[in-house]
Amino acid sequence: MTASTPRQSPYQSLLPFGEGDADFFFGRDNEIRVVIANLFASPLTIVYGPSGVGKSSLLHAGVVPELRRLGKAVVAPYSQWHAEPALALRARVAQAAGVGSAQEAGRQTLSEFCEGICDRAGRPLMLLLDQFEEYFVYTEPFSGFDEELGALLGARDLPLSILVSIREDSIAKLDRFEGRVPHLFDNYLRIEHLDEPGATAAIEDPLPRYVSLTGQAVTIEPALVDAVLPQVQFGAVVLGEIGKGIVAKEESSHQRYEAAYLQLVMSRLWEEERKAGSRVLRRQTLDQLGGAKYAVRTHLDRMMQELEPADQDQAAELFHYLVTPSGTKIAHRVQDLAAYTGLPMDQVATLLAKLSEPRFRILRPVGSSNAQPGMARYEAYHDILAKAILEWRSRHEVSKVSLSEDQLRRREDFQVQLAELLKLTESSLEEDRVRAARLLSMCSLPPRCAPASSGQGRAVIDGDSPTSFRWDSSSWVECSARLRDRCRWPVCLP
């Protein structure tokens, strides 16, 4: 959301919270305080947690706005690892400080550049390196920039505090910097899923804020809050694995709740109530949707069903390269995806752009919006969508296999039926010919294969409109041969 775009919902769906959404970001007050305290106390802090836990939202909508309000440091969040980070990171720091530029760096190392920015700004620098797992996807180990960043992470004599935010399953990759970064793992924070007070705040508190900004009176039934919470508990919904739904939950006095699923469910409820003209979020609506599990598991399906079958097939091919088998999203250029899939680049570009539209939000463009044709990069819109994409693609491939088996069976049936029909049409017995004519007149063929009658009873196989055959004896052999060659669908004999 931007300041110039009127907010349509108090909930975020799968859209990551940014600085402009800080007014609607609730449930993480304690985490915000702890992260900020560590930034002021330590030169290096590692923040980690599972995929989809909300690390980026915590930083951009919680930590960054509060640091800016305090005004004690230059705050520079950065996450565009697919770009040219050696230049882009410098540009981000210079922009945040309001002094200097990346081009002024010359032959300065990254550490020297950051030190110069701090001197000119007259304040320390807080550098928040988000989605750091993607750094290892796009950066070669011990490359020039890798060496510079390692030196920056290990710097202890600069007015600098660095936060590295990384997915839990990638934290071991930080070993690349061991030996270059003293006490690499001395200060780390694990971000958990929402606790119950936080999840309750994330459901209830955005509504009064929305009302105050829009003047539209909207309320929520307490019964809905009580119904949603157990359905978005951690582990209550498995998305991205075929054949799994509700899983057994451990009894615990410290239940956790998945922020991304919560936002998705509440956004779906909001949409349904708005369609119905209701100004109350109701428990009844959740029940009518089939509960939170249905809302989550059908989110991607609803969007993909809007595509034509051919586009679905092409999307499945593209998804193969945009999400790894373990569920990690990867950004690729349009021209690379076209090369991988063998699809025309203009078709790939059109489909990627469509899947990135606001009504779809399956993919998103990353990097410059002014990229040359074929050079724009796209990635999965959200981590939990990456998992859902894996599931959808698996089910789509299974459905294609099933359809192919059905078509093969129908083709085999057709061959048997056609053989019987041809025996009748090629028979010299008048009674067989009469029976064949009757059978052919009862056949229902699709338009592209259907015969059209013409002339004095001669059967014409090439016509476009379905009609009945009318025969004369001179057309038997010709029609039987052409029927064998032209028709690819079962002929239904009584």
Side-chain angles (χ1 to χ4, degrees):
M1 306 288 177
T2 66
S4 60
T5 303
R7 194 173 181 102
Q8 301 299 315
S9 169
Y11 302 106
Q12 200 73 4
S13 188
L14 294 180
L15 188 68
F17 284 88
E19 288 187 59
D21 306 304
D23 285 345
F24 291 86
F25 184 69
F26 294 97
R28 292 292 194 183
D29 292 350
N30 184 60
E31 288 90 338
I32 292 171
R33 286 193 295 268
V34 171
V35 169
I36 290 176
N38 277 268
L39 277 166
F40 279 107
S42 175
L44 177 62
T45 301
I46 296 173
V47 171
Y48 70 100
S51 173
V53 76
K55 300 181 295 298
S56 293
S57 294
L58 169 64
L59 295 181
H60 294 281
V63 172
V64 170
E66 181 62 15
L67 286 173
R68 296 200 196 284
R69 188 189 67 80
L70 293 173
K72 296 181 179 180
V74 173
V75 183
Y78 183 81
S79 59
Q80 303 299 310
W81 302 111
H82 58 273
E84 295 292 339
L87 182 63
L89 181 56
R90 287 174 166 84
R92 185 70 186 93
V93 170
Q95 179 189 36
V99 296
S101 67
Q103 286 72 24
E104 294 177 14
R107 296 188 177 182
Q108 287 181 324
T109 66
L110 185 58
S111 297
E112 292 169 344
F113 176 77
C114 289
E115 183 177 17
I117 289 291
C118 291
D119 291 342
R120 295 172 66 177
R123 290 179 293 166
L125 170 65
M126 289 188 173
L127 188 59
L128 283 64
L129 305 180
D130 190 23
Q131 299 179 23
F132 203 71
E133 64 276 358
E134 296 185 5
Y135 172 84
F136 300 103
V137 176
Y138 300 112
T139 307
E140 291 294 328
F142 305 107
S143 62
F145 178 71
D146 190 68
E147 293 287 355
E148 286 192 58
L149 184 60
L152 185 68
L153 293 174
R156 294 294 181 266
D157 56 350
L158 299 179
L160 172 69
S161 181
I162 300 177
L163 181 147
V164 171
S165 177
I166 189 169
R167 275 172 39 168
E168 188 171 49
D169 57 7
S170 298
I171 196 169
K173 295 178 181 178
L174 290 171
D175 288 347
R176 180 192 293 188
F177 296 106
E178 273 198 314
R180 293 182 284 167
V181 181
H183 314 293
L184 176 61
F185 294 105
D186 276 10
N187 189 44
Y188 55 89
L189 301 171
R190 187 178 194 272
I191 305 302
E192 304 282 353
H193 291 284
L194 292 169
D195 59 15
E196 186 166 336
T200 302
I203 294 173
E204 295 179 338
D205 292 354
L207 286 170
R209 188 63 55 84
Y210 184 83
V211 172
S212 68
L213 291 178
T214 65
Q216 301 178 27
V218 185
T219 59
I220 186 170
E221 291 180 348
L224 175 61
V225 181
D226 294 339
V228 168
L229 284 176
Q231 296 187 46
V232 296
Q233 283 181 7
F234 175 66
V237 179
V238 176
L239 188 63
E241 295 184 45
I242 296 176
K244 295 188 178 181
I246 296 295
V247 297
K249 298 187 286 286
E250 296 181 4
E251 295 296 327
S252 171
S253 59
H254 303 288
Q255 292 287 2
R256 292 287 174 170
Y257 303 84
E258 301 201 50
Y261 295 150
L262 183 153
Q263 290 292 328
L264 179 58
V265 171
M266 295 308 300
S267 294
R268 181 74 190 282
L269 286 169
W270 176 265
E271 292 172 7
E272 293 300 318
E273 298 292 8
R274 299 289 280 187
K275 289 177 184 177
S278 170
R279 294 192 176 274
V280 180
L281 301 184
R282 300 167 294 174
R283 163 71 184 270
Q284 176 186 358
T285 305
L286 178 67
D287 294 340
Q288 289 173 347
L289 287 175
K293 180 181 71 171
Y294 178 84
V296 172
R297 293 180 65 85
T298 61
H299 176 70
L300 184 65
D301 287 352
R302 289 192 304 120
M303 294 184 287
M304 294 304 296
Q305 285 170 1
E306 295 188 27
L307 298 177
E308 295 294 332
D311 286 342
Q312 292 184 28
D313 291 342
Q314 292 184 3
E317 293 188 56
L318 296 174
F319 290 162
H320 177 69
Y321 299 97
L322 290 168
V323 181
T324 69
S326 61
T328 300
K329 61 183 184 180
I330 300 180
H332 279 299
R333 293 186 179 93
V334 174
Q335 66 176 17
D336 293 337
L337 289 169
Y340 295 152
T341 60
L343 298 171
M345 191 166 72
D346 59 340
Q347 291 184 20
V348 171
T350 299
L351 183 55
L352 292 172
K354 186 172 187 177
L355 294 175
S356 302
E357 293 175 1
R359 68 192 181 97
F360 283 97
R361 283 182 178 156
I362 297 172
L363 304 178
R364 64 176 179 180
V366 291
S368 173
S369 60
N370 299 319
Q372 296 178 351
M375 299 302 290
R377 291 177 182 265
Y378 288 84
E379 69 177 7
Y381 196 85
H382 193 279
D383 285 332
I384 68 167
L385 264 188
K387 298 176 183 178
I389 284 170
L390 281 181
E391 183 201 21
W392 178 86
R393 185 176 183 275
S394 296
R395 287 189 285 108
H396 183 74
E397 292 302 314
V398 169
S399 70
K400 285 183 64 178
V401 171
S402 299
L403 180 62
S404 297
E405 290 176 348
D406 180 63
Q407 289 177 324
L408 179 61
R409 184 169 58 254
R410 294 182 66 187
R411 178 177 294 180
E412 291 173 348
D413 291 344
F414 167 70
Q415 295 294 340
V416 172
Q417 295 165 355
L418 181 60
E420 180 180 350
L421 180 60
L422 291 179
K423 286 180 181 179
L424 292 173
T425 61
E426 293 169 354
S427 171
S428 60
L429 298 176
E430 185 63 24
E431 60 186 36
D432 288 340
R433 294 182 176 185
V434 171
R435 181 167 180 250
R438 186 174 67 251
L439 293 179
L440 284 168
S441 70
M442 298 174 65
C443 290
S444 176
L445 302 177
R448 64 173 179 167
C449 302
S453 59
S454 175
Q456 300 298 316
R458 288 180 58 83
V460 180
I461 307 299
D462 298 330
D464 293 327
S465 302
T467 186
S468 299
F469 278 98
R470 293 199 302 272
W471 299 97
D472 62 22
S473 58
S474 64
S475 62
W476 289 121
V477 175
E478 177 187 358
C479 284
S480 62
R482 295 177 70 183
L483 183 63
R484 181 193 292 111
D485 293 338
R486 297 283 298 175
C487 191
R488 293 295 181 267
W489 291 83
V491 177
C492 302
L493 297 179

